[in-house]
Amino acid sequence: MRRAGQMAAEVLLFAGRLVAPGVTTDSIDARVHEEIVRRGAYPSPLNYRGYPKSVCTSINEVICHGIPDSRALADGDIVNIDVTVFLDGVHGDTSVTFEVGDVDDHSRLLVRETRAAMYLGIGAVRSGAPVCSIGKAIESHARLHRLGVVREFIGHGVGTEFHSGLQIPHYYERSHTTPLETGMTFTIEPMLTLGSPNLYLWDDEWTAVTADQRRSAQFEHTLLCHDDEAEILTRTPAGEGAAEVYATE
Ligand code: MF3
Ligand code: CO
Ligand code: CO
């Protein structure tokens, strides 16, 4: 899991270097696919439940699972790139929302506070803590900044399976009392919105967009629960993930 996580982090950093106005998400998909295969891994999204591409690219009002296509990134867009690699029998799953060129102040706040919310959720992880302590930390931060929290998509156990049965909501529900345990591996991947978090799916049955068309951002790390804290698996040995490298103030 450490090796898969590290590779996912490195591939996401690679993807981030491709982000620029004029670049199509199809070309990012092709380059990321090639890079993952070159490293001896498999891009987990490809053919997963019929998903047609190797990476998810979610622009502006797209909340998650955007399918790469011929649309070029434009100055002022925000784009989440979600990379998952399958290496030696296990998955590493991580994503970042990147800013394309000059982005407006509301979008920058959204990106910055969604990143912060993910880290607050990570900070709540320890053995014995109920799973709802993660959602509590994330939702209270979102409230502080008047941002919405998407409920339909949640973090998940990850390991030999891409999505295991373990559910990690990003909102607070006190009945979610399942205790976290040392050795568990799962993602935290909050999606926060500038407006309402209500969503609908496009006819492609993947692309989730905000009902009010306002923007959404997402960050994701794969974690390993220890007695007193979470270890972030989707980082390079230098302790870097794309969420750190591309942090903006
Ligand atoms: N990587 C996404 C997640 O964080 C899942 C993508 S499923 C796909 O769980 F089929 F769309 F790739
Ligand atoms: Co995930
Ligand atoms: Co993901």
Side-chain angles (χ1 to χ4, degrees), residues 37-181:
V37 172
R38 187 185 72 74
R39 291 165 169 266
Y42 181 88
S44 309
L46 187 59
N47 297 321
Y48 174 76
R49 295 175 184 248
Y51 187 79
K53 301 274 175 143
S54 296
V55 69
C56 298
T57 51
S58 303
I59 301 173
N60 299 342
E61 75 274 19
V62 180
I63 291 169
C64 64
H65 302 165
I67 301 173
D69 64 14
S70 57
R71 181 198 188 279
L73 296 175
D75 187 50
D77 283 345
I78 58 172
V79 59
N80 175 278
I81 302 184
D82 191 339
V83 169
T84 312
V85 304
F86 185 60
L87 176 69
D88 295 343
V90 293
H91 300 270
D93 189 6
T94 184
S95 84
V96 163
T97 298
F98 298 99
E99 297 176 3
V100 184
D102 258 338
V103 168
D104 70 85
D105 288 346
H106 278 96
S107 300
R108 295 184 67 196
L109 180 143
L110 171 68
V111 170
R112 184 175 72 228
E113 302 309 337
T114 304
R115 178 193 295 106
M118 175 188 67
Y119 281 114
L120 287 166
I122 292 172
V125 174
R126 60 187 58 89
S127 180
V131 74
C132 64
S133 55
I134 297 171
K136 191 176 190 176
I138 292 169
E139 186 168 42
S140 59
H141 187 74
R143 282 239 173 106
L144 195 66
H145 293 277
R146 300 179 191 283
L147 300 170
V149 178
V150 169
R151 301 174 72 91
E152 286 84 349
F153 299 97
I154 61 181
H156 52 93
V158 60
T160 55
E161 288 177 274
F162 192 172
H163 298 98
S164 80
L166 177 62
Q167 301 193 348
I168 313 284
H170 305 113
Y171 55 90
Y172 180 55
E173 170 50 64
R174 67 177 179 171
S175 66
H176 294 165
T177 54
T178 307
L180 301 173
E181 292 172 28

Side-chain angles (χ1 to χ4, degrees), residues 7 10-11 14 17 30-43 85 87:
M7 186 184 293
E10 289 169 354
V11 172
F14 169 87
R17 290 192 288 271
R31 297 286 302 278
V32 166
H33 177 98
E34 199 183 328
E35 180 66 15
I36 291 172
V37 172
R38 187 185 72 74
R39 291 165 169 266
Y42 181 88
V85 304
L87 176 69

